[in-house]
Amino acid sequence: NTINFAFFVCCRALIFPLLIREGKPTPFFTFVLALLFCAFNGYLQGRSLTTYAIYPAGWLCDSRFITGFLGWLIGMAINVHSDHILRNLRKPGETGYKIPRGGMFEYVSGANFFGEILEWFGFALACYTIESLAFALCTLFILGSRARQHHK
């Protein structure tokens, strides 16, 4: 799970921004706060899983782990696909608002947010730690409010 968490953080922090063609500039202060949050959260999750979490033999076959891993995997697939749709929404040089279509956008207006929330609740179930649950709840509250704003 630590490897999965590191992989996603790497994708979100390094790969995703490089794939964006054009966009609004991010204020430096916002960038620093996001960087500090990701670094601190990554440390907390990694420390929790490598130092404090104790799993019984056979944990990888436990229904909680399997369900959580599948939730994480499905959430990540939704998130990555939704980000792809959003990145390709406008043609080069085009501006203005467009409503995304396809994938989970046919069911929810914030499919990328939904995918990420599902992903981290799956991660929390698979890890079964208070730290992973805390991160999932933070993700729900932060991205839930952003999704609501985007929907309006």
Side-chain angles (χ1 to χ4, degrees):
N1 283 328
T2 304
I3 292 169
N4 292 338
F5 185 79
F7 172 75
F8 181 78
V9 170
C10 179
C11 285
R12 177 56 71 192
L14 302 175
I15 297 170
F16 177 75
L18 295 174
L19 294 174
I20 298 173
R21 286 184 247 173
E22 295 178 25
K24 299 174 192 170
T26 301
F28 183 72
F29 184 67
T30 303
F31 166 77
V32 169
L33 286 178
L35 180 69
L36 289 173
F37 173 80
C38 287
F40 181 68
N41 182 54
Y43 170 77
L44 269 180
Q45 298 301 324
R47 177 96 174 160
S48 165
L49 292 172
T50 59
T51 306
Y52 301 110
I54 299 171
Y55 298 104
W59 177 250
L60 298 179
C61 296
D62 188 281
S63 62
R64 291 169 292 185
F65 177 82
I66 293 169
T67 304
F69 178 76
L70 289 174
W72 175 84
L73 193 61
I74 292 167
M76 184 172 182
I78 292 169
N79 193 4
V80 168
H81 185 251
S82 300
D83 283 346
H84 174 75
I85 290 171
L86 290 172
R87 277 194 314 274
N88 294 297
L89 199 56
R90 292 181 197 88
K91 293 179 176 101
E94 206 173 31
T95 59
Y97 182 78
K98 286 198 168 188
I99 297 174
R101 300 279 182 218
M104 285 298 292
F105 284 109
E106 298 300 320
Y107 305 100
V108 293
S109 58
N112 53 327
F113 300 127
F114 171 75
E116 193 161 342
I117 291 167
L118 177 60
E119 190 173 350
W120 295 121
F121 272 94
F123 177 79
L125 184 58
C127 294
Y128 221 67
T129 64
I130 192 73
E131 294 84 1
S132 59
L133 177 61
F135 179 56
L137 289 171
C138 285
T139 300
L140 173 65
F141 295 134
I142 292 167
L143 294 186
S145 67
R146 287 184 63 199
R148 188 171 180 207
Q149 289 172 331
H150 281 248
H151 182 75
K152 287 180 181 182

